[in-house]
C-alpha cells in the first residue's frame, strides 16, 4: 500500500513563503507523476502543479512564476515551494501521486491527508 505524508502548511503573511513536502512510502510501486492540488472553502479542488515522470512540469496560471514543484528521487518526496503568497492562495493543499506496479500499464493514484495554508492580508 502506498501512503503519503504531507507537511509544511501553516499561517503566513501575504508576500511570504512556505514549502510543502509530501513523502511517499510503500512497497512495490513506481512513481509516475506527482502533483499538488488545492481546495479553498466553497470551491472545487483544483490543480496547482504537477511533475511528470519525465520531469516536465505544469502549473496553474494563477501560480506560475510564484510556485515551484520539485522532487527528491532518493527520498521519494515531492515539494512545493510557494513564494509571494497571496490571500487567494489560502486553501487545503493535497499531494497526489500516480503510480504503477511491476510491468502492468495500470496506474493507481493516492492522495495525501491535506495541509492547510492560510495567507493573511
Amino acid at each position: 500500500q502506498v501512503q503519503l505524508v504531507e507537511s509544511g502548511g501553516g499561517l503566513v503573511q501575504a508576500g511570504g513563503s512556505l514549502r510543502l513536502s509530501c513523502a511517499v512510502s510503500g512497497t512495490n510501486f513506481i512513481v509516475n507523476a506527482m502533483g499538488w492540488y488545492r481546495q479553498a472553502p466553497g470551491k472545487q479542488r483544483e490543480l496547482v502543479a504537477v511533475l511528470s515522470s519525465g520531469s516536465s512540469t505544469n502549473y496553474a496560471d494563477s501560480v506560475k512564476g510564484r510556485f515551484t514543484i520539485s522532487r527528491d528521487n532518493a527520498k521519494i518526496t515531492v515539494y512545493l515551494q510557494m513564494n509571494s503568497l497571496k490571500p487567494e492562495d489560502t486553501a487545503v493543499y493535497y499531494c497526489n501521486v500516480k503510480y504503477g506496479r511491476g510491468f502492468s500499464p495500470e496506474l493507481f493514484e493516492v492522495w495525501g491527508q491535506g495541509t492547510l495554508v492560510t495567507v493573511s492580508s
Side-chain angles (χ1 to χ4, degrees):
Q1 186 176 0
V2 175
Q3 294 181 323
L4 308 180
V5 177
E6 299 179 24
S7 60
L11 173 64
V12 64
Q13 289 188 332
S17 298
L18 283 174
R19 189 177 81 154
L20 306 182
S21 300
C22 174
V24 187
S25 63
T27 57
N28 188 29
F29 68 96
I30 301 170
V31 172
N32 180 269
M34 309 174 88
W36 291 93
Y37 291 71
R38 68 186 181 187
Q39 188 167 16
K43 295 187 177 182
Q44 290 188 333
R45 191 174 298 188
E46 63 176 1
L47 172 71
V48 176
V50 64
L51 178 60
S52 73
S53 58
S55 298
S56 63
T57 58
N58 188 36
Y59 294 93
D61 288 342
S62 59
V63 307
K64 283 181 181 176
R66 300 188 298 122
F67 291 10
T68 302
I69 189 170
S70 62
R71 175 176 61 202
D72 184 327
N73 290 328
K75 296 181 179 179
I76 321 180
T77 298
V78 61
Y79 304 97
L80 185 68
Q81 178 66 43
M82 305 184 293
N83 299 329
S84 302
L85 282 161
K86 304 175 181 180
E88 51 263 43
D89 294 318
T90 295
V92 177
Y93 284 71
Y94 296 91
C95 178
N96 174 273
V97 171
K98 293 179 175 59
Y99 64 95
R101 294 190 183 277
F103 295 103
S104 171
E106 184 178 8
L107 289 180
F108 305 89
E109 73 173 354
V110 58
W111 291 89
Q113 79 279 10
T115 185
L116 178 62
V117 172
T118 303
V119 184
S120 63
S121 57

